[in-house]
């Protein structure tokens, strides 16, 4: 009797194991079909200079007439991944893979290699578009990343640690993750997965089971330098629009409404009479912006934009930032408990900030500026001016000492009466000549001198 029970147990266990195995997807055909379009990217640049030693050499030359010892800087090499998006040689990868590159070599799985040129970059989404001189190349197709659901199988192909064309699989762990950049830009609703992603996978594709690219592998969470089972990918619907703009003009423009928003917690939701703690409350409305012209007001709670739900303030940045300027969208709000809908023509962040430079929404000074409302000007006891919203790292503005929150009132002798006036004055600043900029900081007036 005992033997029969054991045999029955073994039979049931084996049957269940075979059944469970049969339900697992087969990734082999997907990998075989798409691997030829995935590339390994080898980058060579110059290592950062030793500024402390350069200062010492300068002192030696100045005081003792010595020339200093010339130093050979070792080339800085890095690896990444990418994939072919058009058969005439356009390749998508991460911006951080090719930053400060002097030479870029693209290698295919058949061992062919090509030198690549940078078409354009978009640091805000960490994407870069390359071009090689080749034709009739294998390509991948994009899928609809907005249809992704938590629990779906996904496959990554890339070159982790330089190990060519490796594949790893996992599931979608979460969607819409918010990870601001060092400049506090937040335009990417990242896909979180548990796929094993390691250094070298950056820029490689993330596939769904239909063999379509739904993400571009970009970041990992790690304390060891290797995979901890938490990786983040840029959604395909974000990447596709970036690719289109980089191909057209080498830079990316984004939409804006002209509002400052905040998330809604449980207590604020109760105070506002909301059933759920979701949506984004308008804490500041800028004058002469799309939102103001459409009729939005401060204290409005934005609950939807262009048919997409707004759960937190981050959703506003994700949706609007990836909406083409000029597009008319319907914005749903709750105002004093009543639902209202406004049609807003999305504005251009490039025009607001002074024009895209190097893929970022900063002008030649390295600044992004925003308008001040009449109430804000009155509180500052000013009649005109624009606020510094962003200062680019290592930019002329940063070197001159400008900070976020400074109010620019004059460039040279000309008054800065609006954002458009600022843009016109900024465009006229000549290269190589110092220009005085009058600013207010913490109620005190002062001047900074900037040379382009």
């Amino acid at each position: 009797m005992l033997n029969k029970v054991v045999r029955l147990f073994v039979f049931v266990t084996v049957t269940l194991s075979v059944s469970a195995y049969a339900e697992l997807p087969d990734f082999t055909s997907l990998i075989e079909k798409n691997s030829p379009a995935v590339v390994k990217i080898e980058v060579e640049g110059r290592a950062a200079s030793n500024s402390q030693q350069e200062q010492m050499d300068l002192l030696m030359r100045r005081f003792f007439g010595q020339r200093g010892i010339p130093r050979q800087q070792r080339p800085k090499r890095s690896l990444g991944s990418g994939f072919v998006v058009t058969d005439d040689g356009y390749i998508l990868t991460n911006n951080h893979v090719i930053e400060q590159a002097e030479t870029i070599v693209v290698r295919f799985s058949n061992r062919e290699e090509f030198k690549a040129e940078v078409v354009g970059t978009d640091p805000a989404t960490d994407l870069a578009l390359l071009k090689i001189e080749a034709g009739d190349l294998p390509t991948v197709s994009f899928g609809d990343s907005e249809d992704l659901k938590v629990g779906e199988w996904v496959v990554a192909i890339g070159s982790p640690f330089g190990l060519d064309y490796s594949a790893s699989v996992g599931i979608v762990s979460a969607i819409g993750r918010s990870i601001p950049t060092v400049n506090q830009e937040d335009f990417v609703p990242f896909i979180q997965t548990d796929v094993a992603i390691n250094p070298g996978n950056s820029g490689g594709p993330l596939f769904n089971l239909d063999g379509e690219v739904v993400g571009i592998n970009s970041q990992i969470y790690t304390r060891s330098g290797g995979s901890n089972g938490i990786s983040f990918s840029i959604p395909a619907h974000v990447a596709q629009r970036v690719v289109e703009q980089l191909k057209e003009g080498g830079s990316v423009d984004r939409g804006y409404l002209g509002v400052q928003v905040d998330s809604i917690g449980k207590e604020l939701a109760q105070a506002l009479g909301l059933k759920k703690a979701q949506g984004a409350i308008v804490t500041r409305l800028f004058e002469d912006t799309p939102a103001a012209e459409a009729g939005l007001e401060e204290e409005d709670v934005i609950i939807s934009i262009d048919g997409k739900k707004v759960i937190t303030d981050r959703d506003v940045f994700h949706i609007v930032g990836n909406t083409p300027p000029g597009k008319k969208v319907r914005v749903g709000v709750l105002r004093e408990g009543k639902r209202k809908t406004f049609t807003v023509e999305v504005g251009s962040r490039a025009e607001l900030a002074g024009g895209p430079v190097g893929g970022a929404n900063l002008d030649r000074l390295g600044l992004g500026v925003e308008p001040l409302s009449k109430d804000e000007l009155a509180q500052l006891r000013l009649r005109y001016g624009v606020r510094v919203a962003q200062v680019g790292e290592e930019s002329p503005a940063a070197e001159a000492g400008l900070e976020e929150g400074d109010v620019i009132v004059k460039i040279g002798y000309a008054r800065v009466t609006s954002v458009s006036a600022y843009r016109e004055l900024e465009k006229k600043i000549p290269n190589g000549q110092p220009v005085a900029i009058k600013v207010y900081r913490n109620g005190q007036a002062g001047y900074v001198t900037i040379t382009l």
Side-chain angles (χ1 to χ4, degrees):
M1 181 66 180
L2 180 61
N3 289 337
K4 289 183 179 179
V5 172
V6 171
R7 285 198 298 271
L8 178 62
F9 175 76
V10 171
F11 173 76
V12 171
T13 303
V14 171
T15 302
L16 289 174
S17 299
V18 172
S19 176
Y21 177 79
E23 292 177 1
L24 290 174
D26 182 2
F27 304 105
T28 54
S29 58
L30 184 157
I31 294 169
E32 288 175 359
K33 177 183 177 182
N34 290 288
S35 287
V38 180
V39 299
K40 180 179 182 180
I41 298 177
E42 298 182 355
V43 175
E44 184 172 305
R46 304 305 299 179
S49 62
N50 186 334
S51 58
Q52 185 175 6
Q53 186 60 54
E54 287 179 352
Q55 290 278 9
M56 182 62 70
D57 290 344
L58 180 62
L59 288 173
M60 294 290 283
R61 289 195 299 271
R62 182 176 297 173
F63 294 110
F64 301 104
Q66 298 183 18
R67 294 185 178 182
I69 302 172
R71 285 170 175 75
Q72 294 289 336
Q73 285 189 1
R74 293 181 180 179
K76 181 181 179 181
R77 294 183 174 88
S78 60
L79 299 172
S81 304
F83 55 97
V84 183
V85 293
T86 62
D87 62 5
D88 58 346
Y90 283 96
I91 293 171
L92 188 62
T93 186
N94 282 154
N95 177 62
H96 76 258
V97 170
I98 55 86
E99 265 185 322
Q100 300 177 347
E102 291 187 349
T103 60
I104 303 172
V105 175
V106 170
R107 300 183 191 276
F108 286 80
S109 58
N110 63 4
R111 303 305 168 191
E112 281 190 297
E113 64 178 58
F114 302 87
K115 282 193 174 182
E117 298 294 330
V118 177
V119 176
T121 64
D122 184 36
T125 56
D126 191 26
L127 290 172
L129 188 65
L130 310 179
K131 181 70 168 67
I132 61 174
E133 294 302 320
D136 198 25
L137 296 171
T139 63
V140 297
S141 58
F142 283 105
D144 190 348
S145 54
E146 293 184 283
D147 286 342
L148 272 180
K149 290 182 172 56
V150 174
E152 282 192 44
W153 284 99
V154 281
V155 181
I157 303 177
S159 301
F161 302 112
L163 300 172
D164 301 4
Y165 320 108
S166 300
S168 54
V169 301
I171 63 166
V172 176
S173 305
I175 54 178
R177 288 297 195 206
S178 181
I179 307 176
T181 66
V182 293
N183 292 326
Q184 296 306 304
E185 295 173 310
D186 189 1
F187 302 115
V188 181
F190 282 95
I191 304 164
Q192 179 186 326
T193 75
D194 68 353
V195 178
I197 300 296
N198 287 288
N201 274 115
S202 292
L206 185 75
F207 295 96
N208 62 16
L209 288 186
D210 293 326
E212 300 168 327
V213 174
V214 290
I216 295 84
N217 301 315
S218 175
Q219 302 183 40
I220 60 175
Y221 174 81
T222 179
R223 292 181 177 177
S224 64
S227 173
N228 278 355
I230 301 178
S231 55
F232 301 95
S233 303
I234 303 157
H237 72 273
V238 174
Q240 283 179 281
R241 185 166 176 271
V242 170
V243 169
E244 292 171 2
Q245 292 194 70
L246 291 179
K247 282 180 69 175
E248 290 176 4
S251 61
V252 177
D253 191 9
R254 293 185 166 79
Y256 87 103
L257 293 182
V259 296
Q260 182 174 312
V261 294
D262 199 0
S263 289
I264 296 177
K266 182 179 179 180
E267 293 182 356
L268 180 57
Q270 291 175 345
L272 295 173
L274 302 178
K275 295 180 180 179
K276 295 182 180 179
Q278 64 182 41
I281 187 168
V282 177
T283 57
R284 184 189 300 174
L285 183 72
F286 298 108
E287 292 184 347
D288 302 323
T289 60
E293 292 173 359
L296 269 74
E297 297 178 0
E298 293 182 359
E299 279 73 59
D300 281 348
V301 177
I302 300 175
I303 57 175
S304 67
I305 301 173
D306 200 22
K308 302 178 179 68
K309 288 185 178 180
V310 174
I311 307 300
T312 71
D313 59 333
R314 298 294 93 188
D315 293 326
V316 175
F317 294 102
H318 295 163
I319 298 170
V320 177
N322 291 294
T323 300
K327 181 180 178 179
K328 292 183 178 180
V329 299
R330 294 174 67 81
V331 178
V333 307
L334 292 175
R335 180 179 294 173
E336 297 180 1
K338 296 181 180 179
R339 188 183 295 266
K340 292 181 176 291
T341 302
F342 299 89
T343 299
V344 183
E345 183 174 335
V346 176
S348 162
R349 289 185 66 89
E351 292 181 4
L352 175 71
V357 175
N361 292 317
L362 302 176
D363 56 33
R364 292 190 304 149
L365 301 179
L367 292 177
V369 301
E370 61 188 10
L372 289 161
S373 68
K374 290 180 180 178
D375 289 341
E376 289 173 323
L377 288 171
Q379 291 174 4
L380 295 169
R381 297 182 179 180
L382 296 173
R383 289 180 293 166
Y384 50 82
V386 296
R387 181 192 289 110
V388 175
Q390 185 178 349
V391 182
E393 293 183 4
E394 299 180 2
S395 65
E399 292 177 1
L402 279 171
E403 300 177 359
E404 292 183 12
D406 287 347
V407 177
I408 299 175
V409 294
K410 283 187 177 182
I411 296 179
Y413 293 105
R415 295 178 176 180
V416 179
T417 56
S418 64
V419 171
S420 58
Y422 167 84
R423 289 200 302 268
E424 292 301 317
L425 292 169
E426 177 267 326
K427 291 176 183 177
K428 296 177 182 178
I429 296 176
N431 291 332
Q433 295 183 21
V435 60
I437 297 180
K438 187 177 181 179
V439 301
Y440 274 82
R441 180 183 300 169
N442 299 325
Q444 301 294 319
Y447 285 89
V448 297
T449 302
I450 294 180
T451 303
L452 293 177

